[in-house]
Amino acid sequence: MTKILMILTSHDRLGDTGEKTGFWLEEFAAPYYVFKDAGAEITLASPQGGQPPLDPKSDTEDFQTDATRRFKEDAEAQELLANTERLDEIYPTQYDAVFYPGGHGPMWDLAENADSRRIIETFVNGDRPLGAVCHAPAVFRHTQTEAGEPLVKGRRVTGFTNGEEEGVGLTDVVPFLLEDMLKEKGAEYSKGEDWAPYVLVDGKLVTGQNPASSEEAAKKLLALIEA
């Protein structure tokens, strides 16, 4: 059975705004069901373990999809999410692929997390499938190749755009702008229209631009596992 690790944020504070953040519901739910419906065994993990924080904005009616509605009726998936494993107890060699859902939370914790970095470097340097969507490519901020170069240098990647960040009014709140960071690391960053699906595959690395890209990114990752 294919084993997929999904890594979620444990960070719930939106900078100094006093507002809450976390993971984006659709970016978890859509990939989760792509993997589940393909018969994969899914493990959920986060830096602190237990229930990862949900971005309350992603739970509003405007952002509900078939996948999020399915999740709200799925007691088994809710129980799994409430009991994520601790990231420092994860052995990457036990999994066939890794997927990072976004939300603003990863900008603060997963971007700086040594265990996340260890897992990513194991997968990408070993040419094994890894996916990240929306803000989740923030996890590549400190990752390196075996030669000590930025992991995304020279690789085709995408992620939440500066225009999209401006659109949600958080340009001056986030610790860094994802698009700028990826470019600074030498990535061949590209993007589609704001809010439209846009997914890139570079070898075994899959990145999606925004929430609308999460299902396609998961399908692309699954195809790499099955190839």
Side-chain angles (χ1 to χ4, degrees):
M1 180 181 286
T2 299
K3 294 185 177 182
I4 299 177
L5 175 65
M6 297 183 73
I7 299 177
L8 298 107
T9 182
S10 292
H11 185 87
D12 69 351
R13 298 185 312 282
L14 191 60
D16 298 324
T17 64
E19 296 180 30
K20 293 293 187 181
T21 190
F23 73 93
W24 196 261
L25 182 57
E26 199 276 341
E27 294 170 28
F28 163 72
Y32 176 84
Y33 288 115
V34 168
F35 302 145
K36 184 176 176 63
D37 292 347
E41 178 183 315
I42 303 166
T43 297
L44 305 182
S46 63
Q48 295 179 20
Q51 176 73 55
L54 173 66
D55 187 317
K57 292 188 181 71
S58 73
D59 203 24
T60 60
E61 187 57 39
D62 287 350
F63 297 111
Q64 298 313 298
T65 64
D66 289 345
T68 64
R69 285 185 281 269
R70 181 177 172 184
F71 174 73
K72 293 184 180 199
E73 304 277 322
D74 188 341
E76 180 184 350
Q78 292 172 31
E79 177 72 11
L80 195 64
L81 183 66
N83 295 280
T84 66
E85 298 187 18
R86 285 178 56 96
L87 210 49
D88 59 6
E89 297 175 352
I90 291 293
Y91 294 93
T93 53
Q94 297 178 345
Y95 302 96
D96 299 299
V98 180
F99 189 89
Y100 283 83
H104 280 90
M107 300 282 285
W108 279 272
D109 66 347
L110 290 172
E112 308 298 330
N113 185 277
D115 292 300
S116 175
R117 176 176 169 177
R118 167 178 60 86
I119 292 165
I120 292 167
E121 290 176 351
T122 298
F123 268 80
V124 179
N125 288 330
D127 196 31
R128 298 169 63 203
L130 184 143
V133 69
C134 198
H135 284 91
V139 300
F140 300 122
R141 190 179 192 191
H142 300 298
T143 54
Q144 295 183 343
T145 65
E146 291 169 336
E149 296 275 11
L151 198 68
V152 294
K153 183 178 179 180
R155 302 196 72 148
R156 298 173 62 243
V157 298
T158 189
F160 206 64
T161 70
N162 289 352
E164 288 167 332
E165 202 68 81
E166 185 176 348
V168 296
L170 295 175
T171 301
D172 297 325
V173 173
V174 291
F176 56 92
L177 290 172
L178 180 58
E179 177 180 337
D180 289 353
M181 182 275 286
L182 292 170
K183 290 176 178 176
E184 287 164 6
K185 296 295 181 183
E188 293 183 13
Y189 177 91
S190 65
K191 57 191 175 182
E193 294 180 15
D194 283 356
W195 315 115
Y198 188 76
V199 175
L200 289 176
V201 179
D202 184 301
K204 300 288 180 65
L205 180 62
V206 180
T207 49
Q209 179 178 314
N210 47 33
S213 310
S214 57
E215 183 172 343
E216 184 184 349
K219 288 178 178 177
K220 297 284 192 189
L221 187 70
L222 198 60
L224 289 175
I225 302 167
E226 296 170 346

